[in-house]
Amino acid sequence: MPTCPRCGSPANPATLTGSRTTTRHLPICNPCGTDEALRDHTGQPPIPPTDWPINR
């Protein structure tokens, strides 16, 4: 099973989503996609891929 590049957790390939960063082509897991959507909704900037993997 692949790992999410954003958090390092195992990721189901069938449920990967695109990151909201400027490099939207990077597939990330659903929990990270939700986190990025919530950050966007609350006006917080996305965590840049240079700071991945992040600790949860």
Side-chain angles (χ1 to χ4, degrees):
M1 184 171 286
T3 58
C4 173
R6 187 173 183 269
C7 69
S9 296
N12 180 345
T15 61
L16 292 175
T17 187
S19 173
R20 292 177 172 261
T21 64
T22 56
T23 54
R24 291 181 71 86
H25 66 279
L26 292 173
I28 57 174
C29 68
N30 270 350
C32 282
T34 300
D35 181 67
E36 286 194 355
L38 290 171
R39 291 179 65 84
D40 185 46
H41 179 72
T42 59
Q44 298 177 60
I47 298 170
T50 54
D51 292 343
W52 294 356
I54 59 171
N55 293 322
R56 293 182 158 235

